[in-house]
Amino acid sequence: MGISRRGFLGGAVAVAGAAATTGFAPATQLPLSAPVPPSALWQEFAGAPYTHPQIPYVGRAGARLGATRLARPRVVANVLDHGATPDGSTDSAPAIGRALAAAGARGGGTVLVPPGTYRIDGLIHIGHSGVVLRGAGSGRTTLRATRSLTELVGPYGSRYGGDKSSWSWAGGLIWLSPHARHASLLAAIRERSWPFEGWTGNRRDEWTSLTTVRPARRGDWSVTVEDASALHRGQLVLLRLADDADHTLLEHMAGDGPGARAYVWDDKTKLTSYVPHEWPVRITRVQGRRVTFERPLPLDVRPEWDPRLTTHVAALTGSGVEGITLEAVETPQSPHLLDKGFNGVTFQCAYDCWADDVVVRNVDNGFGLVAASACTLRRTRVEGRGSHHPYFCREGSHDNLVEDFRIAARTVPAPPGTQLHGINVEGLSSHNVWSRGVMEAGTFDTHRGMPFGNVRTEITVENDGRHGGDASAGPLYGARFTHWNVTVTNGRAGLVRIDTIAPYSATVGISEVREFDQIDVPDFAGDLHTRLEAYGAPGAVRPRNLYEAQRKVRRRPEVRR
């Protein structure tokens, strides 16, 4: 059955409804009649929304700047016309692929998957921009996947060595990625030349400099460039920042404090492989050498980081998947980091793309964002036998929105040696939002890799997962991580209460919790410059939802430097 846009939290009435239907209610509820003044921290933020030291500005996260109504391209193909069978009797993956190719050849459009159950023995790849795969609703259209990515593509080792399977954190049986990039990834995997997965190719060398950028500050909407001749309105570019020998870029991502300056960065080889840092953004205006973006700068731009606007691999834009359940054949969950790749829906090198009313069931990994930016996952659900990563966000994924989401309790006990994470963010990913969610399992995971500037707001969680990440991946958190109005049903602090471990962070309106199970210590020494407000009172803070409140913040005219 489809999930309504506000069918989770959003007030005591919605919470009570969730409790009635799922038996999963917050520990603390605020009476509807109780007058609640705006949070003092919110009022402080509203005075400086783009430069606040603890709270990031995420008011434009998501596809098309967080648009509540996504594109509805005209119908150009029906999978039944291409040979799909809705009774599950034959493999419909080739027919669905032909319908998607036909839509791509026409310049985009919607491919309909009428009600029924379709067996798919291959992966479904959406590689053309402007193509939407639309079922009749997650309760009416089911794709039943019979084979894993290991079977379909081959084993996928880790570029960092060891015997890990990268299908534990990459790829999807519905995989949205631009055709050329997707082909190069699969070719590298089959050749066992384990690739980088981001915007500049398998060896991070597929980019051309467009212009250098003059110094600017975090929160600026415009920059001055040396040469704007190759830039135009509507263009998607990368802002590229290279770290220096003293790792001052990484220090800046951690808040520029004494603890970051004292931190040992050189031996964090996995973390340092994530830089140069690449931030995709669309240009909204070019006036002389002044270039304005659709989002404010997430970081300073300093000359020591050789700042540039560059090209990137051709992006997938304006594509989506809607109204479908993807159900994998039920197999036991694999031992940790040895997943076979019964994965759900993954976006890679995608911008302004989306999933809406999509359920994944019996998967190793649910929904993935891999070097994906400005995408929206709305009304999504992970359920069935239990997942390793219900949601993963990695490899420099930025400005994404996951809202009205649910992780259901597993239907079978976890096999020995398996692991559960939750809503994961890692790999210098920033300014992503998780909003209005119910997590009957999992945690607020980072796999180290120092994600920064992310927001989790208005979520109820049974905090029973664990984070991953080895020592070479660096800190658990960078600066400006915010948890806002979070109900923890089992009282566990780990990774939800972050005022003692995340630098320049804000923990606002969370349940009273205590430390048990996996307990972490700060990565950075000294004062972390964190904020804790309304502790023990989830739902008692106004605004209730930090992301939705930020969407109402009006951009003020920028003062030129």
Side-chain angles (χ1 to χ4, degrees), residues 221-461:
W221 292 74
S222 301
V223 297
T224 299
V225 301
E226 292 302 322
D227 180 4
S229 61
L231 306 177
H232 58 84
R233 183 172 181 256
Q235 185 178 7
L236 183 64
V237 296
L238 294 183
L239 173 63
R240 184 180 192 269
L241 302 175
D243 204 7
D244 59 12
D246 294 327
H247 299 297
T248 59
L249 175 60
L250 294 176
E251 291 176 3
H252 179 53
M253 293 173 178
D256 285 316
R261 290 191 289 272
Y263 187 78
V264 177
W265 300 98
D266 284 332
D267 63 350
K268 309 304 186 294
T269 52
K270 186 173 183 180
L271 177 68
T272 55
S273 76
Y274 295 140
V275 289
H277 186 59
E278 296 165 345
W279 180 57
V281 67
R282 201 176 297 282
I283 294 172
T284 60
R285 185 180 186 187
V286 179
Q287 187 174 30
R289 291 190 294 133
R290 194 71 174 166
V291 178
T292 302
F293 301 128
E294 65 181 359
R295 294 176 173 87
L297 291 177
L299 297 164
D300 287 356
V301 174
R302 301 179 187 173
E304 55 265 37
W305 303 330
D306 187 27
R308 298 173 179 273
L309 298 182
T310 77
T311 63
H312 47 81
V313 299
L316 184 74
T317 61
S319 296
V321 55
E322 304 173 345
I324 282 174
T325 288
L326 174 66
E327 179 178 277
V329 59
E330 186 169 349
T331 58
Q333 186 177 347
S334 297
H336 192 216
L337 301 178
L338 298 178
D339 293 349
K340 300 297 185 183
F342 284 106
N343 296 346
V345 181
T346 290
F347 296 79
Q348 188 159 7
C349 297
Y351 195 96
D352 279 339
C353 294
W354 68 91
D356 185 18
D357 182 26
V358 176
V359 175
V360 296
R361 185 178 299 131
N362 299 330
V363 293
D364 293 336
N365 301 281
F367 292 88
L369 297 159
V370 182
S373 293
C375 294
T376 294
L377 309 183
R378 179 173 293 153
R379 301 190 302 163
T380 57
R381 188 163 78 241
V382 181
E383 60 186 37
R385 51 88 157 156
S387 300
H388 177 200
H389 295 94
Y391 292 83
F392 57 93
C393 177
R394 50 177 294 272
E395 203 77 11
S397 290
H398 312 291
D399 304 303
N400 297 294
L401 170 64
V402 182
E403 65 177 356
D404 296 334
F405 68 95
R406 184 185 193 123
I407 301 172
R410 62 187 310 138
T411 55
V412 298
T418 60
Q419 187 61 274
L420 165 67
H421 298 305
I423 50 174
N424 159 253
V425 59
E426 60 179 292
L428 299 181
S429 297
S430 72
H431 296 80
N432 302 289
V433 176
W434 292 261
S435 171
R436 294 197 309 268
V438 168
M439 299 172 61
E440 297 179 7
T443 191
F444 286 10
D445 178 35
T446 88
H447 267 52
R448 300 193 175 274
M450 202 169 68
F452 65 94
N454 298 284
V455 167
R456 291 146 167 169
T457 182
E458 207 175 351
I459 297 170
T460 298
V461 55

